[in-house]
Amino acid sequence: MNMSNTPEDGDGASITTGGLFPIFPTSTNSVSVISSNNTQWLRNASFTTDLSVINAAAASTAPYLSEVEEDEEGDADENIGEINQPKVYNLIEEEASWESDDDDDVKRKGKKKKKKRKSGTAPDESRSKKSSVRDSDEYYSKPAKDYYLDTRPDPDNLAYGSIYRMNVPRYKLDSSQRVSGEGSLRNYLRNRRSSMLDAEIDIDSLEGRGKSDTRYWYAKHAAMERNKNFKRIRLSASREAVDSSFDDFIPLVEDEAVQESDEEDVLPKDSMMGASWEDEVLKKTREFNRMTRERPHDEKAWLAFADFQDKVSSMQSQKGVRLQTLEKKISILEKAFELNPDSEELLIALLKAYRIRDNADVLISRWEKALMQNSASYKLWREFLCVVQGEFSRFKVSEVRKMYSYAIQALSSACSKRHRQVETTSEPLDSAAIQQELVLVDMLVSLCRFEWQAGYQELATALFQAEVEFSIFCPSLLLTEQSKLRLFEHFWSSNGARVGEAGAFGWSLWLEKEEENRHKILKEESSDDNEVGGWTGWTEQVSGRNGDSVASANNVEVDVDREGLDEEMEDESSKPEDDTEAMLKLLGIDVNAVASDEVKDTSTWVKWFEEEVSRDLSQWMPTRKAGEFPRVDEMGEGEDEDQLSSVVLFEDINGFLFSLRSNEARLSLVYQFIDFFGAHMSPWTSSNSLSWSEKISSLETLPDSVLENLRSVQECLSKSDSVDSFSLGSLLSGSCDISMRTEMMKFLRNAILLCLNVFPRNHILEEAVLVAEELFVTNMKTCEVATTPCQALAKRLLKSDRQDLLLCGVYAQREAASGNMKHARRVFDMALTSICGLPKELQYNASLLSLWYAESEIANSSSRGRDTEASSRALHILCYLGSGLAYTPYTSQSSSMQILRARQGFKEKIKKIQSAWSHGVTDDQSAALVCSVALFDELTNDLTGAVEILEHMFSSVLPGRKTQSHQLELLFNYYVRMLQRHQDDLTLSQIWKPISEGLQLYPLNPELYLALVDICNHRMTSHRLRMMFDDYSRKSPSVVVWLFALSYELSKGGASHRIRGLFERAFAQDTLKNSVILWRCYIAYEIDIARNPSAARRIYFRAINACPWSKKLWLDGYRKLSSVLTVKEMSDLQEVMRDKELNIRTDIYEILLMQG
């Protein structure tokens, strides 16, 4: 329905309107006609109201709005829209009482800011654009219908995800100066306008490359921040601008206030005037130039100067400028290394800078040149091996293995040279020589870890066996290194059982028994020669053992070299293949076709993956040639190749053997050997040690110790939150086999029992062997047993050494952990009552026994709630430890006199320990005594006294000693656990301070991160805890920090973009981009939680490019990505695995035959 045209006053122009709501404003006469006619189709009373009142109100507000419009540079329609809210009535927009005054002004400003709206209506409609309420062409266009559609974007919806009033904050940052009167309204309107996305702002005048592409920030402000010439001012609170309500305030310490005011007065003028980024770069460059010129041998100054170039490069947008900055960084490091040629840190930083610029061949040649000049540097070898492993294009398992052999031989030569120097002076090994042997052991363990992850489990196991036999069970003969190797070759090639195997008793005892058997056989031969004469079978065995005539026995025995094995494999491969070809033809497979055409379905590759994993789990022990092979001609088809490939010859291990002389290095080898195969061990080294950091950085699966802490994080968070959570350990579950675990525990039990002959009364090894026995017996027996699984082994060990009190304590702890507390008390009481009749060096272990006994009582009571009887029993034990009296079993509570005597005795003992710790002498017994004193104070007085004792003891140790002593780290963990038990009675600052100090000392300690999550989850917001994780990840990036951060997000049900951001930020760091465990977790997250297979596929290809040595990572593609990988891609992946020389045990043709 169209309305009739009405002439407009003053112009004589006509405006055509249609529909219920006029699109364009009409004159006053047209309004009167409409209201007077009162058409029948318009029944709403609001349309028949006399509008003169509204017109008068609009005319009265016009001068004020015109004044505001002159002060603003934007559109006048937004200003009036803030005051005149009901703008839907467009009938009043042509009021001539105030529009004519501003008509020319509005036209001129409208031309500057906008173009005229293009419309298809009558040309007279353009005159209506003089209205103060106009629609911007940027957001509006002439609608085809008779109503408006609001298409203006809402910034609140973009920033907060909703326009619901409870989700949008009611405050707004006002950065303008505080003024009064009409200026406040102008600033308010200006701030309101700045909250909208202003597309007309001219940011090209600042810098074309500084345009903001961010999401939540205004483009103008972001461009100004990114502009290099933008000056920043350091603001400080003015002391004059103080509220009048504080006029009567008198500070307690006036000197501090005066000092602060003096500091404010001496602020540099640059900070008050403002400095741009370019000014900051020039200023920092001058400072670094002055520092390096004045202190040319300060390595930290040079490294800081080089790191500053990275910061400058990150601000550059052009690639050429970044390359120039990189060249400048390289020149700085070259100059620094020229002045400090002995600095390893500068050389490593220089080679890392070369890695960004040079290609792989040039980089490897630079590394080789540096290693020739610094062959005894463990850090250089470690970094070089990381470079070789991470170069996907050059990676080969054989090449990396060869580099490991070079590294071990170079480090071993340096150790031998140091030993010869020590022998000439007849002095004991110093700390430098011991440290060289320790890093040599770490290098061997890294090689074994690499071989295991590449699929060569038999070689990794054989390397450990050979080195343990060669270094720990070597004969006590004065032999050169070459003679020792020849003698060991005879042992390795014989039928003698090696460490970990049943019936093994060590290389030294084997050699003694072999010599006895040889003399016995010689006597029998001499007696037989007088009677019968001639050659007998015993002579044949002697020649076989002595190696005098090996050629005659090669056809019977399987003691053959590599050439013989290759010849046999060639002979068997040349056999007719009629049966195999016939089977393949029955399956419809063309033998001569390309490999990718053989498999038609991805399910075949999934079965291949399952078979490959099964063989990896079962084939980890090296096969004995003469012990397990019956005869070569008796082996079935298919068995010979698998068994021969698992044989480890002496030539395979010859280049990796070395001798160890220090007891610390030999113990480190045994501990890492046990830890490598997954046995439970008490902490034996600091988390800051090289062995621990190498183990954490090269993780492929989660170890039991870390997995237990991550599960505790999930349990802690699941109690407070009811959201759906996931465990980080569940993402990598299903990779362990019970049978493999059982065989490993049996292997470890045998190995540890053999090592206890060399390291007797070692409670760490005794605990490990008892736990291994428990796991072995538990997995072997399906039914429950009444006694503790390790009881029989513990009794057998105690019969052989009845004075081993620590073995009693370890066994009693296992009984208490199994819930048999009565039997544990009998064992503890027996050990403590018999301690008085033992030598003093054995009585020194009383502190460890008493602490273990008291903690077992406390743990037993905490499982049933706080028990006063358990506390009394623990206090009774500690009273006898402090007083030094002969121990008697518990009958009643301790008297006040006993407690007083114990307190006095503890004070004297603490003084002696403090004196020893100040000289750097710490051991397990002294740390246990300090824990016992703290627990005694906690039970008798309160937590304050215990905390004071622990803090006082920590203050008596030098900071450098704190970070390297694992006893002090155990003591700190005990301190944190004590605070956790009483966290309800403490403030946040009392708990937070020790944890923050501990994370600075031990940044790789998982227990401290667990305590951090536990406490902050109840005392802080999630945002605060995330900020802490970000801070620690920047200060000390490690796998431990990211694992706990990811576990926290998964347990809290965090957003997917936040979890992906954590992964990506972790891989952006140089130390973590080759972390196999993080890549595997990322792929598992995308598949199992995010349900995004396409993203997981992209991540998988990135992962194998970064970590080409990890066979588990390659196989994850077959297990988790079978739905998105094609048959061709799976076939190509296997070919690349073979090309990289990963150990593949299953051929795809075997699966095809099994399916047929």
Side-chain angles (χ1 to χ4, degrees):
M1 180 181 296
N2 295 330
M3 295 178 61
S4 59
N5 298 339
T6 5
E8 184 181 352
D9 283 344
D11 318 337
S14 62
I15 299 176
T16 303
T17 58
L20 286 176
F21 303 99
I23 299 177
F24 300 104
T26 59
S27 64
T28 311
N29 294 337
S30 63
V31 174
S32 62
V33 171
I34 294 173
S35 53
S36 62
N37 292 340
N38 194 9
T39 23
Q40 296 298 324
W41 51 267
L42 193 57
R43 295 294 184 181
N44 197 329
S46 62
F47 293 96
T48 61
T49 306
D50 188 5
L51 301 178
S52 59
V53 179
I54 302 177
N55 297 339
S60 62
T61 57
Y64 178 73
L65 293 176
S66 177
E67 180 183 353
V68 174
E69 180 183 83
E70 292 175 358
D71 293 333
E72 294 295 320
E73 294 179 0
D75 304 331
D77 57 323
E78 293 181 17
N79 295 345
I80 297 177
E82 295 294 328
I83 301 173
N84 192 9
Q85 293 293 334
K87 62 179 180 179
V88 295
Y89 297 104
N90 294 329
L91 301 175
I92 65 172
E93 295 179 0
E94 284 290 316
E95 287 298 320
S97 59
W98 58 274
E99 181 187 1
S100 58
D101 297 335
D102 298 309
D103 186 64
D104 297 335
D105 212 24
V106 172
K107 262 189 183 179
R108 185 169 56 254
K109 294 184 178 181
K111 289 179 181 178
K112 292 181 181 179
K113 301 302 292 183
K114 309 177 180 178
K115 295 181 179 179
K116 292 185 176 180
R117 180 175 55 188
K118 295 180 180 181
S119 176
T121 57
D124 291 334
E125 292 178 355
S126 61
R127 299 185 181 183
S128 64
K129 296 178 183 179
K130 300 176 182 179
S131 172
S132 59
V133 183
R134 295 167 304 187
D135 299 318
S136 174
D137 285 338
E138 184 180 356
Y139 302 106
Y140 291 89
S141 62
K142 175 66 173 63
K145 299 181 180 181
D146 296 337
Y147 53 86
Y148 287 107
L149 289 176
D150 184 10
T151 60
R152 184 186 298 269
D154 194 324
D156 292 339
N157 195 12
L158 181 65
Y160 307 107
S162 173
I163 57 175
Y164 179 52
R165 63 184 182 86
M166 301 301 293
N167 291 342
V168 179
R170 300 183 181 181
Y171 58 86
K172 187 180 186 304
L173 179 64
D174 184 11
S175 59
S176 60
Q177 300 294 330
R178 294 183 177 273
V179 293
S180 58
E182 296 179 356
S184 301
L185 178 59
R186 296 191 189 99
N187 290 327
Y188 170 75
L189 295 175
R190 185 178 293 111
N191 290 333
R192 287 282 297 174
R193 176 174 307 208
S194 64
S195 65
M196 304 299 292
L197 297 176
D198 192 355
E200 290 85 16
I201 195 67
D202 186 13
I203 61 176
D204 293 332
S205 60
L206 295 175
E207 186 179 357
R209 297 180 302 274
K211 296 183 180 180
S212 173
D213 56 352
T214 185
R215 181 175 179 181
Y216 302 123
W217 299 101
Y218 186 34
K220 178 181 66 175
H221 298 156
M224 292 175 63
E225 285 290 334
R226 294 191 178 189
N227 185 24
K228 299 176 183 176
N229 296 322
F230 182 71
K231 295 184 179 297
R232 293 163 175 82
I233 302 175
R234 177 183 174 185
L235 298 177
S236 58
S238 176
R239 289 189 145 313
E240 299 177 358
V242 182
D243 197 286
S244 59
S245 59
F246 296 99
D247 292 342
D248 298 334
F249 173 74
I250 301 176
L252 296 177
V253 183
E254 188 174 359
D255 297 338
E256 295 182 1
V258 174
Q259 183 179 359
E260 289 179 1
S261 62
D262 294 340
E263 291 178 356
E264 291 180 359
D265 294 336
V266 297
L267 285 174
K269 294 183 179 180
D270 294 340
S271 63
M272 301 302 296
M273 299 296 295
S276 63
W277 169 248
E278 298 290 348
D279 299 336
E280 185 71 16
V281 171
L282 292 175
K283 178 183 176 182
K284 286 285 186 181
T285 304
R286 293 192 190 99
E287 291 179 359
F288 282 121
N289 286 332
R290 186 180 67 253
M291 290 171 59
T292 54
R293 187 168 52 251
E294 295 175 354
R295 302 192 301 271
H297 300 292
D298 188 358
E299 299 177 12
K300 294 183 179 180
W302 287 106
L303 291 173
F305 196 6
D307 293 338
F308 179 70
Q309 303 308 313
D310 294 335
K311 187 177 180 181
V312 173
S313 179
S314 64
M315 297 294 294
Q316 306 296 336
S317 57
Q318 295 181 353
K319 184 178 179 180
V321 181
R322 292 197 298 269
L323 291 177
Q324 292 177 1
T325 309
L326 176 61
E327 292 292 342
K328 183 179 179 181
K329 176 183 178 181
I330 292 175
S331 63
I332 291 170
L333 291 172
E334 287 176 345
K335 181 66 175 177
F337 184 69
E338 181 182 351
L339 296 173
N340 303 274
D342 297 331
S343 174
E344 293 182 356
E345 298 294 335
L346 288 174
L347 181 56
I348 292 175
L350 178 59
L351 291 170
K352 286 183 177 180
Y354 283 143
R355 187 177 186 180
I356 304 174
R357 186 191 67 179
D358 300 338
N359 56 31
D361 296 332
V362 176
L363 180 65
I364 295 299
S365 63
R366 291 184 184 275
W367 271 104
E368 291 175 352
K369 182 179 178 181
L371 287 170
M372 289 179 63
Q373 300 174 356
N374 303 272
S375 60
S377 173
Y378 172 80
K379 291 183 179 179
L380 282 178
W381 281 110
R382 185 68 258 172
E383 292 292 337
F384 172 65
L385 291 170
C386 290
V387 171
V388 174
Q389 286 184 225
E391 288 291 338
F392 183 83
S393 59
R394 295 175 56 93
F395 175 77
K396 297 278 187 181
V397 172
S398 59
E399 291 294 327
V400 178
R401 185 182 296 143
K402 182 171 65 175
M403 296 304 168
Y404 266 107
S405 66
Y406 292 159
I408 291 177
Q409 291 172 8
L411 295 176
S412 178
S413 300
C415 286
S416 300
K417 182 179 179 181
R418 190 61 179 255
H419 291 160
R420 288 193 297 268
Q421 294 176 356
V422 172
E423 288 176 356
T424 56
T425 58
S426 301
E427 294 181 358
L429 292 177
D430 55 354
S431 59
I434 295 175
Q435 186 63 30
Q436 282 185 334
E437 289 192 346
L438 289 174
V439 298
L440 186 57
V441 172
D442 294 339
M443 184 62 71
L444 177 70
V445 175
S446 298
L447 170 63
C448 296
R449 191 177 292 116
F450 167 76
E451 297 287 355
W452 188 279
Q453 293 180 359
Y456 297 91
Q457 288 95 331
E458 299 94 343
L459 181 57
T461 305
L463 284 171
F464 266 121
Q465 287 180 312
E467 183 57 35
V468 170
E469 294 277 6
F470 191 79
S471 298
I472 297 178
F473 298 103
C474 59
S476 56
L477 301 175
L478 297 177
L479 300 174
T480 62
E481 197 71 14
Q482 295 299 326
S483 301
K484 188 176 178 182
L485 284 173
R486 287 195 297 268
L487 194 60
F488 185 76
E489 181 181 4
H490 174 57
F491 164 72
W492 190 262
S493 303
S494 66
N495 299 332
R498 303 163 189 167
V499 60
E501 299 175 0
F505 37 81
W507 177 28
S508 178
L509 289 178
W510 176 88
L511 191 62
E512 293 178 3
K513 292 188 177 182
E514 188 73 6
E515 190 68 18
E516 292 177 1
N517 292 334
R518 192 176 69 85
H519 286 296
K520 182 179 179 181
I521 293 171
L522 289 176
K523 290 181 180 179
E524 293 178 356
E525 286 180 353
S526 60
S527 61
D528 292 340
D529 289 340
N530 295 330
E531 299 178 359
V532 180
W535 181 82
T536 62
W538 288 107
T539 310
E540 181 183 359
Q541 292 184 5
V542 172
S543 64
R545 288 194 183 95
N546 296 334
D548 298 333
S549 177
V550 183
S552 62
N554 275 342
N555 294 328
V556 179
E557 300 178 356
V558 195
D559 189 6
V560 294
D561 54 2
R562 287 183 174 272
E563 296 178 359
L565 294 177
D566 295 338
E567 291 175 1
E568 291 177 4
M569 293 174 65
E570 289 176 3
D571 294 339
E572 295 182 359
S573 63
S574 62
K575 293 180 180 180
E577 299 181 355
D578 298 337
D579 297 337
T580 305
E581 292 179 1
M583 180 63 69
L584 292 175
K585 288 181 180 179
L586 289 176
L587 293 173
I589 299 174
D590 188 6
V591 182
N592 299 322
V594 185
S596 60
D597 297 335
E598 299 290 346
V599 183
K600 303 296 183 182
D601 191 6
T602 56
S603 61
T604 305
W605 285 110
V606 174
K607 292 180 181 179
W608 171 85
F609 155 75
E610 294 173 353
E611 181 65 23
E612 184 70 17
V613 171
S614 175
R615 295 186 182 185
D616 276 337
L617 294 176
S618 60
Q619 300 175 9
W620 58 275
M621 276 291 292
T623 303
R624 302 302 303 279
K625 296 182 298 182
E628 296 185 6
F629 280 9
R631 287 175 65 92
V632 176
D633 54 358
E634 294 179 2
M635 285 189 253
E637 295 183 4
E639 298 177 1
D640 52 352
E641 185 176 354
D642 294 338
Q643 293 184 357
L644 289 176
S645 62
S646 62
V647 173
V648 180
L649 303 176
F650 179 75
E651 290 79 5
D652 300 330
I653 61 172
N654 183 24
F656 308 103
L657 298 177
F658 51 86
S659 300
L660 297 175
R661 299 190 179 185
S662 65
N663 195 44
E664 293 83 355
R666 299 167 75 194
L667 267 177
S668 175
L669 175 62
V670 174
Y671 289 155
Q672 296 195 60
F673 166 61
I674 298 171
D675 182 70
F676 184 86
F677 288 96
H680 172 77
M681 292 182 65
S682 297
W684 57 273
T685 184
S686 172
S687 61
N688 295 324
S689 63
L690 287 174
S691 59
W692 176 259
S693 61
E694 287 295 328
K695 173 188 173 182
I696 290 298
S697 62
S698 59
L699 282 179
E700 197 177 39
T701 56
L702 291 173
D704 292 339
S705 58
V706 179
L707 187 59
E708 183 179 355
N709 290 324
L710 294 179
R711 286 173 180 168
S712 301
V713 170
Q714 186 191 15
E715 294 175 0
C716 171
L717 298 176
S718 60
K719 293 179 181 178
S720 57
D721 297 332
S722 59
V723 298
D724 296 334
S725 61
F726 298 92
S727 172
L728 193 64
S730 62
L731 295 179
L732 302 177
S733 60
S735 60
C736 184
D737 185 68
I738 298 298
S739 61
M740 179 184 181
R741 184 80 169 176
T742 303
E743 292 298 323
M744 277 190 177
M745 292 303 107
K746 180 182 178 181
F747 172 77
L748 284 175
R749 181 198 62 181
N750 297 333
I752 299 172
L753 288 175
L754 190 60
C755 292
L756 280 174
N757 297 327
V758 183
F759 305 104
R761 297 177 180 177
N762 187 307
H763 67 93
I764 297 178
L765 295 180
E766 291 169 346
E767 182 183 7
V769 71
L770 292 183
V771 175
E773 178 71 10
E774 282 185 8
L775 295 175
F776 171 68
V777 175
T778 303
N779 293 331
M780 289 293 293
K781 295 182 179 180
T782 56
C783 58
E784 295 184 1
V785 292
T787 60
T788 308
C790 64
Q791 184 176 8
L793 178 61
K795 288 183 178 180
R796 180 161 61 90
L797 292 175
L798 285 173
K799 286 182 180 179
S800 60
D801 187 3
R802 296 185 178 275
Q803 293 185 349
D804 193 353
L805 298 180
L806 294 182
L807 177 59
C808 294
V810 169
Y811 168 55
Q813 280 185 304
R814 302 313 306 167
E815 291 286 353
S818 300
N820 194 359
M821 195 61 197
K822 291 183 178 179
H823 189 66
R825 286 169 182 163
R826 287 198 297 269
V827 177
F828 272 125
D829 291 339
M830 179 193 67
L832 289 175
T833 51
S834 62
I835 202 171
C836 294
L838 298 177
K840 288 187 177 181
E841 59 270 12
L842 296 180
Q843 294 182 9
Y844 190 54
N845 296 324
S847 58
L848 274 173
L849 274 175
S850 301
L851 179 63
W852 291 346
Y853 195 1
E855 283 187 332
S856 299
E857 293 288 353
I858 297 296
N860 184 54
S861 66
S862 62
S863 61
R864 310 180 271 109
R866 181 60 66 179
D867 191 357
T868 56
E869 182 185 357
S871 301
S872 300
R873 286 179 175 273
L875 185 60
H876 172 80
I877 299 164
L878 297 175
C879 283
Y880 279 96
L881 174 64
S883 61
L885 300 177
Y887 177 81
T888 57
Y890 174 81
T891 55
S892 61
Q893 294 184 359
S894 302
S895 62
S896 302
M897 184 61 65
Q898 290 176 331
I899 295 175
L900 181 60
R901 188 182 294 112
R903 181 172 283 109
Q904 292 298 122
F906 278 136
K907 287 182 180 180
E908 296 178 0
K909 294 180 179 180
I910 284 292
K911 290 180 180 179
K912 295 180 181 179
I913 294 176
Q914 185 176 2
S915 175
W917 283 13
S918 61
H919 293 83
V921 180
T922 57
D923 53 10
D924 295 337
Q925 288 78 5
S926 60
L929 184 59
V930 174
C931 292
S932 302
V933 176
L935 181 60
F936 176 80
D937 235 285
E938 180 186 2
L939 294 175
T940 54
N941 294 333
D942 54 1
L943 181 65
T944 306
V947 170
E948 289 179 356
I949 291 173
L950 293 174
E951 291 180 350
H952 179 66
M953 294 304 298
F954 272 112
S955 62
S956 63
V957 184
L958 296 176
R961 184 63 183 172
K962 291 180 184 178
T963 57
Q964 299 300 326
S965 173
H966 77 276
Q967 292 93 354
L968 295 177
E969 187 172 358
L970 290 176
L971 182 61
F972 198 91
N973 291 338
Y974 182 84
Y975 177 29
V976 173
R977 289 196 299 269
M978 181 181 292
L979 294 177
Q980 285 183 272
R981 290 199 299 264
H982 299 271
Q983 60 177 319
D984 295 336
D985 303 329
L986 299 174
T987 62
L988 177 61
S989 60
Q990 292 175 328
I991 306 176
W992 170 244
K993 183 180 178 182
I995 295 179
S996 61
E997 292 177 354
L999 287 174
Q1000 292 177 2
L1001 293 172
Y1002 313 107
L1004 301 181
N1005 191 329
E1007 293 191 17
L1008 293 181
Y1009 287 104
L1010 174 60
L1012 175 69
V1013 175
D1014 183 24
I1015 292 173
C1016 295
N1017 182 51
H1018 298 89
R1019 303 293 187 96
M1020 295 182 182
T1021 60
S1022 300
H1023 177 67
R1024 181 75 180 276
L1025 184 55
R1026 290 185 181 113
M1027 290 179 63
M1028 292 178 185
F1029 277 126
D1030 291 344
D1031 187 32
Y1032 291 129
S1033 64
R1034 286 191 300 268
K1035 292 180 179 179
S1036 55
S1038 67
V1039 178
V1040 176
V1041 183
W1042 291 105
L1043 285 177
F1044 275 90
L1046 290 167
S1047 180
Y1048 176 76
E1049 293 295 340
L1050 290 172
S1051 302
K1052 292 283 287 187
S1056 59
H1057 66 272
R1058 183 181 294 121
I1059 297 175
R1060 290 190 181 101
L1062 288 175
F1063 279 115
E1064 295 296 338
R1065 284 165 47 205
F1067 296 135
Q1069 298 176 345
D1070 292 336
T1071 56
L1072 299 176
K1073 63 183 179 182
N1074 301 118
S1075 175
V1076 180
I1077 186 70
L1078 290 181
W1079 283 113
R1080 296 189 68 207
C1081 289
Y1082 199 3
I1083 297 171
Y1085 168 77
E1086 292 291 351
I1087 289 292
D1088 300 334
I1089 299 178
R1091 308 293 181 181
N1092 192 349
S1094 60
R1097 182 175 180 272
R1098 294 191 300 269
I1099 296 164
Y1100 172 71
F1101 289 126
R1102 291 171 54 195
I1104 60 178
N1105 182 72
C1107 309
W1109 68 88
S1110 175
K1111 185 180 178 181
K1112 282 185 180 294
L1113 188 58
W1114 285 86
L1115 294 180
D1116 280 346
Y1118 294 88
R1119 180 178 63 173
K1120 295 181 177 293
L1121 302 177
S1122 58
S1123 60
V1124 292
L1125 291 177
T1126 63
V1127 176
K1128 178 67 167 56
E1129 289 174 338
M1130 289 185 174
S1131 179
D1132 293 343
L1133 285 173
Q1134 191 197 48
E1135 291 299 324
V1136 177
M1137 290 173 66
R1138 292 186 184 275
D1139 181 62
K1140 299 301 178 184
E1141 300 178 354
L1142 299 179
N1143 190 16
I1144 298 179
R1145 305 174 186 273
T1146 309
D1147 198 293
I1148 189 62
Y1149 291 106
E1150 299 182 37
I1151 307 300
L1152 294 174
L1153 291 172
M1154 291 168 59
Q1155 289 180 345

